[in-house]
Amino acid sequence: MDEAGTRLLVVSNRLPAVLKKQEGEWRVIPGSGGLVSAMAPVLRDRGGTWVGWTGASNVTSDGQVDSLLTAYSRKAGYTLHPVDLNEEDIKGFYYGFANEVIWPLFHDFQSRCRFEPEYWRVYLDVNRKFAREVAAASTEKDYVWVHDYHLMHVAWMLKEQGLTRRMGFFLHIPFPPVDIFLKLPWRHKILQALMEYDLVGFQTHRDRRNFIQCVKIFDPQAKARGRGPVIHLSSGERTTRLGAFPISIDYSSFSKGASKTEVKEAAAEFHTALKERTIILGIDRLDYSKGIPQRFEAMRSLLTMYPELQGKVSLVQVVVPSREEVAEYKMLKEEIERLVGEINGQFTRPGYIPIHYQYRSLERKELLAYYRASSIALITPLRDGMNLVAKEYCACNSSRNGVLFLSEFAGAAAQLQNWAVLVNPHDVEGVAKSIYQAYAMDPAEKRKRMTKLRESIRKFDIFWWVDSFLQAAFERKLGDFPPMESVTYSGQAQSGV
Ligand code: GDG
């Protein structure tokens, strides 16, 4: 195919900027989270279209909303194409199927799943809606890149509508092992839907292996061919390419950002406020997959097993509000706050607080300052697709005196295991012991490890990731997508993106 005029369409549940009504007026709020952090710099640089939900219900016929989105598109350097969802859609598809079925199941929390048949029906309807918007926003020449577990059926629905598009899919969360996946009532349909994409990308080889094993349960004749990052899987009539592409960050923007004077000053102030203690940092969205209570228990073990560290180390834990409308998340917040109270009650002394807990979102400058000022990043999810915070911490640690703690169950561990301190987050005393060792780690050893971590993250950054995916998709590189002519880029990065 002649590739001139090919545009990139990114499709995800939420647009990178969402709508909120404040004092009767709609406002566009830049989003945060892993997917936005990863894709926004790419579309910002190359132009294209982002198709997704606005975060509010029944809004697209509102003229004020249209002009807000157009203005945002012009500033961002790419077009926002909204998908309108109603209250019922949001309940069944987003809170229901995505958050109460797929998210817990794919993170190995089967007991938290609610396999409601109604959720499944609404999920299919909403994927059909997305497919219609993709059809409206694209031509056969474009490349459509669908993201994440909310939208596994978009290629299937386009086919149902009699349309063909070149389509790839990337799963940002883990793909579970067979015995867990098989619990899903709609397991075979999900596998068939994923096989409709030309390319399916996973975070790690392990996720891809799990997927292949699941397909083979339903089709023992299915054949995987090839080796390396991209292989072919044939099942029945379909052959799909499967890739393992560990997602990454815009390394240079983090590392340059962290060296700015204002960030250095903010980091110094932060240190002074905490009386020059060793800072252990945790930054997570509110989610049970992130292992926050277990981390607090590890902190309690640390201060109990090594009382000489009382008064010398503090954990700064930022919890970013997320999915607060879901009962499970509300309960988790209560559990976190109860534990903070309990541990602080036990170890606080005049001038010393062991856990500095903050339930809020940080400004980018603050986020970078926190990364810079911390001696240890304690990244201990119980299960995580990748974990970008781990990579951002290293990119910001230009003084190379920090230590990255990483859960064995984070996708990032596959890439960074040789130089991070790997831990089992369930083993709270083991984590405490490792922190104690890291506290006394030789600075030369810290420097050596951090240098290696930074080299790996710099080399395999977000632009490498996009290139790898597009190269695998149809032998195109990121540079082959020219910026769209119809929009002018203001050159401003948006906070929280
Ligand atoms: C999903 C997968 C996968 C966090 N707090 C603030 C803030 N953040 C930004 C971080 C980082 C992002 O949010 C979080 O990304 P993670 O990867 O850690 O986690 P998820 O949101 O669960 O992301 C995950 C990812 O998708 C990408 O594929 O790695 O496994 O679960 O970029 O910087 N940003 C700002 N203030 C905050 O307070 N500005």
Side-chain angles (χ1 to χ4, degrees):
M1 187 183 279
D2 168 21
E3 303 291 6
T6 294
R7 294 170 313 150
L8 181 60
L9 249 92
V10 170
V11 187
S12 69
N13 170 41
R14 268 179 209 253
L15 285 171
V18 293
L19 292 168
K20 272 219 171 103
K21 208 161 211 175
Q22 289 172 345
E23 291 157 13
E25 294 280 307
W26 285 109
R27 304 234 182 278
V28 184
I29 315 282
S32 63
L35 175 58
V36 178
S37 306
M39 288 310 297
V42 173
L43 280 188
R44 203 172 63 214
D45 282 4
R46 307 293 152 183
T49 299
W50 195 315
V51 178
W53 172 44
T54 56
S57 54
N58 300 324
V59 289
T60 49
S61 48
D62 184 322
Q64 195 210 344
V65 164
D66 284 352
S67 53
L68 272 176
L69 292 178
T70 308
Y72 189 92
S73 295
R74 204 167 291 130
K75 195 170 165 217
Y78 52 88
T79 307
L80 300 186
H81 184 109
V83 179
D84 207 5
L85 300 185
N86 60 38
E87 296 286 345
E88 286 305 302
D89 291 338
I90 296 163
K91 231 167 107 196
F93 156 77
Y94 178 66
Y95 290 116
F97 195 74
N99 286 333
E100 291 191 23
V101 178
I102 301 296
W103 178 272
L105 190 76
F106 282 32
H107 285 87
D108 305 353
F109 293 98
Q110 307 99 290
S111 58
R112 292 183 186 253
C113 293
R114 280 188 60 204
F115 297 122
E116 283 282 341
E118 185 56 17
Y119 290 170
W120 166 248
R121 282 189 277 277
V122 182
Y123 159 80
L124 292 180
D125 285 347
V126 170
N127 271 247
R128 210 168 275 127
K129 275 192 186 175
F130 269 80
R132 276 200 290 271
E133 297 302 334
V134 167
S138 64
T139 70
E140 280 191 5
K141 281 192 116 180
D142 297 334
Y143 190 78
V144 181
W145 187 357
V146 179
H147 290 263
D148 233 358
Y149 59 101
H150 317 80
L151 300 174
M152 293 181 283
H153 265 72
V154 174
W156 179 275
M157 294 303 178
L158 267 171
K159 190 175 147 194
E160 197 186 79
Q161 291 164 26
L163 294 167
T164 46
R165 293 286 185 273
R166 293 181 293 175
M167 295 186 87
F169 177 86
F170 186 79
L171 183 68
H172 289 258
I173 64 173
F175 197 91
V178 175
D179 49 350
I180 294 179
F181 183 75
L182 287 183
K183 307 217 158 104
L184 184 65
W186 312 283
R187 57 208 186 172
H188 192 194
K189 294 202 164 77
I190 292 283
L191 295 174
Q192 287 173 316
L194 287 172
M195 288 293 291
E196 277 304 318
Y197 290 94
D198 307 317
L199 171 68
V200 179
F202 299 92
Q203 298 275 24
T204 67
H205 284 86
R206 175 190 175 278
D207 299 314
R208 184 174 71 181
R209 196 170 54 238
N210 288 344
F211 177 76
I212 296 171
Q213 282 169 357
C214 289
V215 170
K216 284 188 170 172
I217 293 277
F218 292 94
D219 175 12
Q221 309 301 324
K223 275 225 154 20
R225 281 177 293 116
R227 303 188 66 184
V230 183
I231 62 172
H232 290 75
L233 180 67
S234 304
S235 170
E237 306 271 280
R238 291 283 311 163
T239 295
T240 297
R241 268 156 322 127
L242 306 179
F245 310 107
I247 200 167
S248 194
I249 58 164
D250 184 353
Y251 177 91
S252 107
S253 125
F254 276 94
S255 106
K256 281 189 194 139
S259 304
K260 286 190 178 153
T261 313
E262 57 185 46
V263 171
K264 282 188 194 162
E265 284 170 3
E269 273 170 32
F270 181 40
H271 246 302
T272 313
L274 267 79
K275 311 223 171 7
E276 308 296 331
R277 283 192 194 98
T278 297
I279 300 171
I280 303 174
L281 181 67
I283 295 189
D284 310 82
R285 269 188 315 101
L286 177 70
D287 203 290
Y288 48 78
S289 65
K290 302 290 183 184
I292 303 167
Q294 289 79 357
R295 193 175 309 156
F296 289 166
E297 289 299 353
M299 191 65 191
R300 190 201 313 255
S301 297
L302 178 77
L303 299 176
T304 309
M305 288 157 65
Y306 308 103
E308 66 272 29
L309 291 192
Q310 292 175 23
K312 294 197 178 132
V313 294
S314 285
L315 170 65
V316 173
Q317 177 65 53
V318 179
V319 176
V320 181
S322 178
R323 305 177 195 173
E324 288 159 296
E325 300 84 348
V326 180
E328 294 268 353
Y329 287 73
K330 255 192 219 134
M331 278 156 60
L332 173 67
K333 181 168 181 271
E334 282 165 20
E335 186 191 354
I336 288 173
E337 291 175 358
R338 183 186 57 76
L339 270 174
V340 172
E342 211 178 280
I343 298 169
N344 279 348
Q346 198 177 345
F347 297 102
T348 296
R349 295 289 175 270
Y352 174 62
I353 298 173
I355 302 180
H356 290 260
Y357 163 70
Q358 308 182 35
Y359 184 68
R360 66 184 178 108
S361 185
L362 303 178
E363 292 281 315
R364 187 168 165 97
K365 183 182 101 178
E366 247 183 324
L367 177 74
L368 301 190
Y370 277 40
Y371 284 147
R372 245 198 105 102
S374 306
S375 304
I376 291 176
L378 197 49
I379 316 280
T380 53
L382 306 180
R383 175 66 74 205
D384 217 331
M386 179 56 51
N387 197 297
L388 296 178
V389 170
K391 295 186 172 184
E392 293 167 7
Y393 171 72
C394 297
C396 293
N397 193 246
S398 48
S399 46
R400 288 178 286 160
N401 54 4
V403 180
L404 174 66
F405 271 64
L406 197 49
S407 159
E408 293 165 24
F409 309 114
Q415 179 188 348
L416 306 176
Q417 59 184 316
N418 291 341
W419 315 293
V421 175
L422 278 203
V423 290
N424 172 359
H426 300 280
D427 176 10
V428 294
E429 292 192 349
V431 174
K433 214 162 140 189
S434 298
I435 297 176
Y436 185 70
Q437 285 160 359
Y439 181 76
M441 192 187 274
D442 173 26
E445 173 69 14
K446 286 187 192 169
R447 200 177 174 79
K448 193 177 91 189
R449 284 170 177 258
M450 188 47 76
T451 303
K452 291 284 192 189
L453 287 165
R454 287 166 59 88
E455 273 170 16
S456 174
I457 300 161
R458 181 166 53 81
K459 189 165 167 201
F460 302 109
D461 67 0
I462 186 63
F463 301 104
W464 167 87
W465 177 75
V466 176
D467 261 357
S468 310
F469 191 94
L470 294 179
Q471 187 94 48
F474 60 129
E475 296 185 10
R476 297 289 305 277
K477 282 199 168 220
L478 181 56
D480 297 336
F481 288 92
M484 301 234 318
E485 282 160 17
S486 56
V487 288
T488 44
Y489 169 44
S490 71
Q492 277 176 343
Q494 295 120 41
S495 70
V497 175

mmCIF file of all heavy atoms in Angstrom, residues 33-65:
data_model
loop_
_atom_site.group_PDB
_atom_site.id
_atom_site.type_symbol
_atom_site.label_atom_id
_atom_site.label_comp_id
_atom_site.label_asym_id
_atom_site.label_seq_id
_atom_site.Cartn_x
_atom_site.Cartn_y
_atom_site.Cartn_z
ATOM 1 N N GLY A 33 -1.867 9.224 34.479
ATOM 2 C CA GLY A 33 -1.877 7.757 34.394
ATOM 3 C C GLY A 33 -0.931 7.282 33.308
ATOM 4 O O GLY A 33 -0.448 8.071 32.485
ATOM 5 N N GLY A 34 -0.689 5.966 33.351
ATOM 6 C CA GLY A 34 0.345 5.373 32.504
ATOM 7 C C GLY A 34 0.156 5.589 31.013
ATOM 8 O O GLY A 34 1.077 6.021 30.315
ATOM 9 N N LEU A 35 -1.046 5.328 30.518
ATOM 10 C CA LEU A 35 -1.274 5.392 29.072
ATOM 11 C C LEU A 35 -1.082 6.809 28.542
ATOM 12 O O LEU A 35 -0.436 7.020 27.510
ATOM 13 C CB LEU A 35 -2.682 4.877 28.763
ATOM 14 C CG LEU A 35 -3.130 4.980 27.324
ATOM 15 C CD1 LEU A 35 -2.182 4.227 26.406
ATOM 16 C CD2 LEU A 35 -4.534 4.440 27.167
ATOM 17 N N VAL A 36 -1.618 7.780 29.270
ATOM 18 C CA VAL A 36 -1.499 9.175 28.835
ATOM 19 C C VAL A 36 -0.036 9.596 28.859
ATOM 20 O O VAL A 36 0.476 10.189 27.904
ATOM 21 C CB VAL A 36 -2.350 10.101 29.733
ATOM 22 C CG1 VAL A 36 -2.181 11.537 29.324
ATOM 23 C CG2 VAL A 36 -3.800 9.695 29.666
ATOM 24 N N SER A 37 0.659 9.242 29.939
ATOM 25 C CA SER A 37 2.077 9.609 30.040
ATOM 26 C C SER A 37 2.857 9.035 28.861
ATOM 27 O O SER A 37 3.799 9.638 28.375
ATOM 28 C CB SER A 37 2.696 9.070 31.326
ATOM 29 O OG SER A 37 1.943 9.478 32.421
ATOM 30 N N ALA A 38 2.452 7.856 28.405
ATOM 31 C CA ALA A 38 3.208 7.192 27.348
ATOM 32 C C ALA A 38 2.866 7.733 25.969
ATOM 33 O O ALA A 38 3.760 7.999 25.156
ATOM 34 C CB ALA A 38 2.939 5.686 27.398
ATOM 35 N N MET A 39 1.569 7.920 25.666
ATOM 36 C CA MET A 39 1.186 8.240 24.289
ATOM 37 C C MET A 39 1.161 9.726 23.965
ATOM 38 O O MET A 39 1.349 10.099 22.812
ATOM 39 C CB MET A 39 -0.197 7.646 23.974
ATOM 40 C CG MET A 39 -0.221 6.147 23.812
ATOM 41 S SD MET A 39 1.029 5.478 22.681
ATOM 42 C CE MET A 39 0.576 6.211 21.126
ATOM 43 N N ALA A 40 0.882 10.583 24.974
ATOM 44 C CA ALA A 40 0.739 12.013 24.682
ATOM 45 C C ALA A 40 1.991 12.599 24.002
ATOM 46 O O ALA A 40 1.858 13.304 23.003
ATOM 47 C CB ALA A 40 0.369 12.790 25.932
ATOM 48 N N PRO A 41 3.222 12.287 24.483
ATOM 49 C CA PRO A 41 4.373 12.875 23.792
ATOM 50 C C PRO A 41 4.486 12.421 22.343
ATOM 51 O O PRO A 41 4.962 13.167 21.488
ATOM 52 C CB PRO A 41 5.590 12.383 24.589
ATOM 53 C CG PRO A 41 5.097 11.592 25.716
ATOM 54 C CD PRO A 41 3.599 11.507 25.649
ATOM 55 N N VAL A 42 4.015 11.225 22.057
ATOM 56 C CA VAL A 42 4.129 10.688 20.696
ATOM 57 C C VAL A 42 3.201 11.434 19.747
ATOM 58 O O VAL A 42 3.621 11.936 18.698
ATOM 59 C CB VAL A 42 3.794 9.174 20.698
ATOM 60 C CG1 VAL A 42 3.744 8.636 19.297
ATOM 61 C CG2 VAL A 42 4.802 8.425 21.543
ATOM 62 N N LEU A 43 1.922 11.540 20.124
ATOM 63 C CA LEU A 43 0.984 12.242 19.250
ATOM 64 C C LEU A 43 1.308 13.735 19.201
ATOM 65 O O LEU A 43 1.099 14.392 18.188
ATOM 66 C CB LEU A 43 -0.451 12.037 19.725
ATOM 67 C CG LEU A 43 -1.090 10.708 19.335
ATOM 68 C CD1 LEU A 43 -2.569 10.704 19.701
ATOM 69 C CD2 LEU A 43 -0.964 10.410 17.855
ATOM 70 N N ARG A 44 1.820 14.255 20.296
ATOM 71 C CA ARG A 44 2.189 15.672 20.351
ATOM 72 C C ARG A 44 3.258 15.957 19.293
ATOM 73 O O ARG A 44 3.225 16.956 18.615
ATOM 74 C CB ARG A 44 2.742 15.959 21.746
ATOM 75 C CG ARG A 44 2.658 17.399 22.174
ATOM 76 C CD ARG A 44 3.046 17.496 23.626
ATOM 77 N NE ARG A 44 4.421 17.100 23.866
ATOM 78 C CZ ARG A 44 4.855 16.475 24.963
ATOM 79 N NH1 ARG A 44 4.006 16.166 25.914
ATOM 80 N NH2 ARG A 44 6.106 16.157 25.096
ATOM 81 N N ASP A 45 4.196 15.020 19.167
ATOM 82 C CA ASP A 45 5.284 15.209 18.206
ATOM 83 C C ASP A 45 4.856 14.939 16.771
ATOM 84 O O ASP A 45 5.372 15.558 15.854
ATOM 85 C CB ASP A 45 6.451 14.274 18.538
ATOM 86 C CG ASP A 45 7.273 14.802 19.694
ATOM 87 O OD1 ASP A 45 6.871 15.835 20.261
ATOM 88 O OD2 ASP A 45 8.303 14.198 20.015
ATOM 89 N N ARG A 46 3.980 13.940 16.577
ATOM 90 C CA ARG A 46 3.692 13.497 15.207
ATOM 91 C C ARG A 46 2.326 13.870 14.680
ATOM 92 O O ARG A 46 2.035 13.637 13.508
ATOM 93 C CB ARG A 46 3.804 11.958 15.119
ATOM 94 C CG ARG A 46 5.091 11.404 15.637
ATOM 95 C CD ARG A 46 6.254 11.807 14.774
ATOM 96 N NE ARG A 46 7.451 11.835 15.608
ATOM 97 C CZ ARG A 46 8.646 12.198 15.200
ATOM 98 N NH1 ARG A 46 8.818 12.608 13.972
ATOM 99 N NH2 ARG A 46 9.666 12.181 16.017
ATOM 100 N N GLY A 47 1.447 14.375 15.521
ATOM 101 C CA GLY A 47 0.082 14.640 15.072
ATOM 102 C C GLY A 47 -0.704 13.345 14.952
ATOM 103 O O GLY A 47 -0.162 12.263 15.101
ATOM 104 N N GLY A 48 -1.977 13.451 14.632
ATOM 105 C CA GLY A 48 -2.832 12.267 14.505
ATOM 106 C C GLY A 48 -4.143 12.506 15.227
ATOM 107 O O GLY A 48 -4.491 13.659 15.521
ATOM 108 N N THR A 49 -4.860 11.437 15.504
ATOM 109 C CA THR A 49 -6.171 11.565 16.146
ATOM 110 C C THR A 49 -6.250 10.622 17.327
ATOM 111 O O THR A 49 -5.743 9.505 17.255
ATOM 112 C CB THR A 49 -7.289 11.204 15.130
ATOM 113 O OG1 THR A 49 -7.215 12.115 14.035
ATOM 114 C CG2 THR A 49 -8.670 11.287 15.748
ATOM 115 N N TRP A 50 -6.868 11.078 18.402
ATOM 116 C CA TRP A 50 -7.077 10.226 19.580
ATOM 117 C C TRP A 50 -8.583 10.063 19.754
ATOM 118 O O TRP A 50 -9.301 11.053 19.906
ATOM 119 C CB TRP A 50 -6.430 10.870 20.816
ATOM 120 C CG TRP A 50 -6.269 9.934 21.981
ATOM 121 C CD1 TRP A 50 -7.200 9.052 22.457
ATOM 122 C CD2 TRP A 50 -5.110 9.775 22.812
ATOM 123 N NE1 TRP A 50 -6.682 8.352 23.524
ATOM 124 C CE2 TRP A 50 -5.406 8.779 23.777
ATOM 125 C CE3 TRP A 50 -3.850 10.382 22.851
ATOM 126 C CZ2 TRP A 50 -4.493 8.390 24.752
ATOM 127 C CZ3 TRP A 50 -2.938 9.997 23.829
ATOM 128 C CH2 TRP A 50 -3.263 8.999 24.774
ATOM 129 N N VAL A 51 -9.053 8.827 19.687
ATOM 130 C CA VAL A 51 -10.480 8.547 19.839
ATOM 131 C C VAL A 51 -10.705 8.011 21.250
ATOM 132 O O VAL A 51 -10.011 7.078 21.673
ATOM 133 C CB VAL A 51 -10.940 7.476 18.813
ATOM 134 C CG1 VAL A 51 -12.432 7.145 18.995
ATOM 135 C CG2 VAL A 51 -10.664 7.924 17.384
ATOM 136 N N GLY A 52 -11.660 8.590 21.982
ATOM 137 C CA GLY A 52 -11.904 8.087 23.339
ATOM 138 C C GLY A 52 -13.085 8.775 23.999
ATOM 139 O O GLY A 52 -13.664 9.726 23.456
ATOM 140 N N TRP A 53 -13.406 8.294 25.163
ATOM 141 C CA TRP A 53 -14.520 8.839 25.953
ATOM 142 C C TRP A 53 -14.058 10.119 26.650
ATOM 143 O O TRP A 53 -12.887 10.239 27.050
ATOM 144 C CB TRP A 53 -14.931 7.755 26.969
ATOM 145 C CG TRP A 53 -15.919 8.170 28.007
ATOM 146 C CD1 TRP A 53 -17.046 8.901 27.825
ATOM 147 C CD2 TRP A 53 -15.860 7.837 29.408
ATOM 148 N NE1 TRP A 53 -17.699 9.051 29.023
ATOM 149 C CE2 TRP A 53 -17.000 8.410 30.005
ATOM 150 C CE3 TRP A 53 -14.974 7.106 30.201
ATOM 151 C CZ2 TRP A 53 -17.261 8.291 31.368
ATOM 152 C CZ3 TRP A 53 -15.233 6.989 31.547
ATOM 153 C CH2 TRP A 53 -16.363 7.565 32.118
ATOM 154 N N THR A 54 -14.990 11.065 26.815
ATOM 155 C CA THR A 54 -14.638 12.363 27.409
ATOM 156 C C THR A 54 -14.606 12.333 28.935
ATOM 157 O O THR A 54 -14.221 13.313 29.565
ATOM 158 C CB THR A 54 -15.692 13.423 27.031
ATOM 159 O OG1 THR A 54 -16.964 12.909 27.463
ATOM 160 C CG2 THR A 54 -15.730 13.691 25.546
ATOM 161 N N GLY A 55 -15.066 11.216 29.510
ATOM 162 C CA GLY A 55 -15.097 11.167 30.972
ATOM 163 C C GLY A 55 -16.420 11.695 31.530
ATOM 164 O O GLY A 55 -16.637 11.672 32.737
ATOM 165 N N ALA A 56 -17.312 12.205 30.660
ATOM 166 C CA ALA A 56 -18.625 12.691 31.110
ATOM 167 C C ALA A 56 -19.686 12.036 30.231
ATOM 168 O O ALA A 56 -19.375 11.544 29.163
ATOM 169 C CB ALA A 56 -18.695 14.208 30.971
ATOM 170 N N SER A 57 -20.961 12.048 30.706
ATOM 171 C CA SER A 57 -21.982 11.362 29.907
ATOM 172 C C SER A 57 -22.803 12.332 29.061
ATOM 173 O O SER A 57 -23.006 13.486 29.450
ATOM 174 C CB SER A 57 -22.897 10.545 30.820
ATOM 175 O OG SER A 57 -23.424 11.380 31.823
ATOM 176 N N ASN A 58 -23.254 11.824 27.910
ATOM 177 C CA ASN A 58 -24.140 12.578 26.990
ATOM 178 C C ASN A 58 -23.690 14.021 26.747
ATOM 179 O O ASN A 58 -24.408 14.953 27.058
ATOM 180 C CB ASN A 58 -25.570 12.635 27.558
ATOM 181 C CG ASN A 58 -26.147 11.259 27.750
ATOM 182 O OD1 ASN A 58 -25.900 10.359 26.952
ATOM 183 N ND2 ASN A 58 -26.894 11.076 28.823
ATOM 184 N N VAL A 59 -22.513 14.217 26.183
ATOM 185 C CA VAL A 59 -22.050 15.610 26.039
ATOM 186 C C VAL A 59 -21.764 16.051 24.606
ATOM 187 O O VAL A 59 -21.621 17.247 24.367
ATOM 188 C CB VAL A 59 -20.763 15.882 26.861
ATOM 189 C CG1 VAL A 59 -21.053 15.909 28.334
ATOM 190 C CG2 VAL A 59 -19.657 14.938 26.514
ATOM 191 N N THR A 60 -21.673 15.111 23.661
ATOM 192 C CA THR A 60 -21.110 15.556 22.376
ATOM 193 C C THR A 60 -22.016 16.480 21.570
ATOM 194 O O THR A 60 -21.551 17.114 20.643
ATOM 195 C CB THR A 60 -20.692 14.367 21.496
ATOM 196 O OG1 THR A 60 -21.764 13.464 21.460
ATOM 197 C CG2 THR A 60 -19.439 13.713 21.989
ATOM 198 N N SER A 61 -23.316 16.556 21.942
ATOM 199 C CA SER A 61 -24.147 17.489 21.165
ATOM 200 C C SER A 61 -24.087 18.900 21.768
ATOM 201 O O SER A 61 -24.742 19.822 21.309
ATOM 202 C CB SER A 61 -25.585 16.986 21.129
ATOM 203 O OG SER A 61 -25.965 16.648 22.438
ATOM 204 N N ASP A 62 -23.276 19.080 22.791
ATOM 205 C CA ASP A 62 -23.146 20.368 23.468
ATOM 206 C C ASP A 62 -22.107 21.227 22.721
ATOM 207 O O ASP A 62 -20.950 20.846 22.609
ATOM 208 C CB ASP A 62 -22.697 20.066 24.915
ATOM 209 C CG ASP A 62 -22.624 21.318 25.781
ATOM 210 O OD1 ASP A 62 -22.214 22.363 25.250
ATOM 211 O OD2 ASP A 62 -22.960 21.232 26.960
ATOM 212 N N GLY A 63 -22.572 22.380 22.206
ATOM 213 C CA GLY A 63 -21.691 23.234 21.402
ATOM 214 C C GLY A 63 -20.475 23.718 22.169
ATOM 215 O O GLY A 63 -19.375 23.811 21.626
ATOM 216 N N GLN A 64 -20.666 23.988 23.468
ATOM 217 C CA GLN A 64 -19.543 24.476 24.284
ATOM 218 C C GLN A 64 -18.444 23.415 24.359
ATOM 219 O O GLN A 64 -17.266 23.716 24.262
ATOM 220 C CB GLN A 64 -20.036 24.817 25.697
ATOM 221 C CG GLN A 64 -19.035 25.653 26.470
ATOM 222 C CD GLN A 64 -19.111 25.403 27.979
ATOM 223 O OE1 GLN A 64 -20.071 24.847 28.495
ATOM 224 N NE2 GLN A 64 -18.076 25.835 28.687
ATOM 225 N N VAL A 65 -18.886 22.146 24.475
ATOM 226 C CA VAL A 65 -17.934 21.036 24.560
ATOM 227 C C VAL A 65 -17.157 20.916 23.258
ATOM 228 O O VAL A 65 -15.933 20.763 23.257
ATOM 229 C CB VAL A 65 -18.687 19.726 24.902
ATOM 230 C CG1 VAL A 65 -17.833 18.510 24.619
ATOM 231 C CG2 VAL A 65 -19.125 19.739 26.359
#
